[in-house]
Amino acid sequence: NGTQAIAKLRQQHYDLIVMDLNMPPLDGYAAAEKIRHGAAPGQQDIPIVAYTSESAYMAHVKTQKVGMNGFVSKPCTQVELALALQLALESASRQAQTQDRAARALAGKTVLVVDDDGQNRKIAGIYLHRLDLNTLHAEHGLAAIAILEAGAKVDAVLMDMQMPGMSGVEAARIIRQNAACAHIPIIALTANFSDQHIEQALAAGMNDFISKPMEPDQLRDKLTALLGGGGARPIAAGAVQPVPIRDKAEHDGVPLINVHHLEQLRRTDPQIMQECLDIFIPQMQEMLLRIETHIADRDFEAFYSALHTLLGNAGDAGFHALHQYLKAKVYPQAAQAHEWPSEINWLETARDLYGRTVRAMQGSYIAAG
């Protein structure tokens, strides 16, 4: 069982685990989760292959949730088993090489995180510290410029695109005009990276972008490319983002929950994941109420600010269907054309997606009831 497996891992080194998913008293799902969270020090990244009689769909969802490297179905042939183990070992080897390359490129360097949302700065700080990076923090563009002009040693900047007072684009433009810090790579952060945003970021001298919600592996790869001697890669449209694992609960074929994002966050720090949900879920409810009020008052600027916050919260909290709906159907018209959204009954749809996602999360991410 899983308890015995963890005990053995604590006693000696193993290269790979083949583990049944259904075992009392600690099943393979829970055991893998504990291993990934450090229950066996030094073995967090060991390749784990599930051996299960469950359907391929369920096995895929469960193994991905806890960071397993693959699965093989019961019964299996020798060839199927060998192939699954080979793929798992090769995947783990590539991951180790990537981590080694990142460690050499990033260790000891300093990243300036610029975001008006304190929780987003906190999450970024945790991800960066796990990469052995130092961090400085600023809550708006003017504060970031002040830090750089004061002579702080900064190797890269993570810059939110939209902040009150001075946007990330404006701040980047000013930084590029200062010879002392014009060379520093700048990665743009945004909840809605359209072609228009890409053009603005390029024109301002930004080097790359990360679309929120930010994933730790994506952040590592971007920084490694910029700081590891490979040179700054240009921003490109259509960059591949992690695909949320499909759960049974969907809206128009889009999963309600971004399981990949939440499990990445939980594996990084379970407490910070819970803290994010405790902050962002009620904040989304508040933004929905504000939006209704601002629409009634015809206050477009206040409406747009609340919509932007709702979009970001939905992404960060793993409300994937809500985030994708707002991003595709509602936000572009408000952000780019500065017009009220023309989507029919969009606010009712947003409220429905919010409520359905909260219910779908109960038990797995939110305490039931």
Side-chain angles (χ1 to χ4, degrees), residues 279-358:
I279 291 173
F280 291 139
I281 290 176
Q283 195 170 77
M284 279 188 281
Q285 189 172 36
E286 180 185 347
M287 290 305 112
L288 287 166
L289 291 171
R290 286 191 187 183
I291 285 170
E292 184 176 19
T293 299
H294 298 324
I295 291 174
D297 294 341
R298 306 303 292 175
D299 186 341
F300 182 83
E301 292 303 321
F303 156 78
Y304 175 62
S305 176
L307 178 63
H308 179 77
T309 300
L310 177 63
L311 178 70
N313 288 168
D316 291 330
F319 281 51
H320 183 64
L322 175 59
H323 180 259
Q324 292 301 301
Y325 176 73
L326 294 173
K327 185 176 180 180
K329 302 289 188 179
V330 181
Y331 190 79
Q333 193 169 0
Q336 297 169 23
H338 299 284
E339 297 175 352
W340 296 96
S342 58
E343 175 78 1
I344 303 298
N345 297 326
W346 72 266
L347 187 55
E348 288 77 7
T349 301
R351 286 200 194 97
D352 177 64
L353 288 172
Y354 170 83
R356 287 174 57 197
T357 307
V358 169

Side-chain angles (χ1 to χ4, degrees), residues 144-301:
I145 292 168
I147 289 172
L148 292 171
E149 290 182 344
K153 183 184 180 302
V154 172
D155 297 288
V157 178
L158 292 180
M159 181 83 75
D160 189 19
M161 287 279 284
Q162 184 165 332
M163 296 178 288
M166 177 181 287
S167 70
V169 169
E170 293 172 314
R173 192 174 293 115
I174 293 173
I175 291 169
R176 288 293 177 248
Q177 293 171 354
N178 186 333
C181 51
H183 65 285
I184 298 174
I186 302 174
I187 299 176
L189 301 173
T190 183
N192 182 47
F193 221 106
S194 64
D195 289 342
Q196 182 182 12
H197 281 100
I198 292 171
E199 292 174 4
Q200 291 174 348
L202 281 171
M206 291 182 167
N207 302 92
D208 210 328
F209 78 94
I210 293 176
S211 183
K212 295 180 180 179
M214 180 168 55
E215 305 291 351
D217 290 348
Q218 185 187 29
L219 176 61
R220 177 200 63 204
D221 293 345
K222 298 282 188 181
L223 288 171
T224 302
L226 290 170
L227 301 178
R233 296 179 297 177
I235 295 175
V240 176
Q241 299 294 321
V243 177
I245 301 163
R246 289 197 174 275
D247 224 328
K248 290 183 178 179
E250 297 184 346
H251 172 76
D252 289 343
V254 178
L256 290 180
I257 304 171
N258 188 339
V259 175
H260 175 90
H261 171 67
L262 290 176
E263 292 302 328
Q264 284 271 64
L265 195 54
R266 176 144 64 184
R267 284 198 292 273
T268 300
D269 190 326
Q271 184 175 345
I272 199 68
M273 185 207 72
Q274 194 59 55
E275 185 178 304
C276 285
L277 295 179
D278 290 344
I279 291 173
F280 291 139
I281 290 176
Q283 195 170 77
M284 279 188 281
Q285 189 172 36
E286 180 185 347
M287 290 305 112
L288 287 166
L289 291 171
R290 286 191 187 183
I291 285 170
E292 184 176 19
T293 299
H294 298 324
I295 291 174
D297 294 341
R298 306 303 292 175
D299 186 341
F300 182 83
E301 292 303 321

Side-chain angles (χ1 to χ4, degrees), residues 111-127:
V111 176
L112 173 59
V113 181
V114 191
D115 197 310
D116 60 307
D117 189 299
Q119 193 66 19
N120 285 338
R121 294 198 303 273
K122 189 172 185 178
I123 294 170
I126 290 172
Y127 288 164

Side-chain angles (χ1 to χ4, degrees), residues 20-33:
D20 190 11
L21 284 180
N22 299 303
M23 304 176 292
L26 185 68
D27 63 24
Y29 178 82
E33 192 169 37

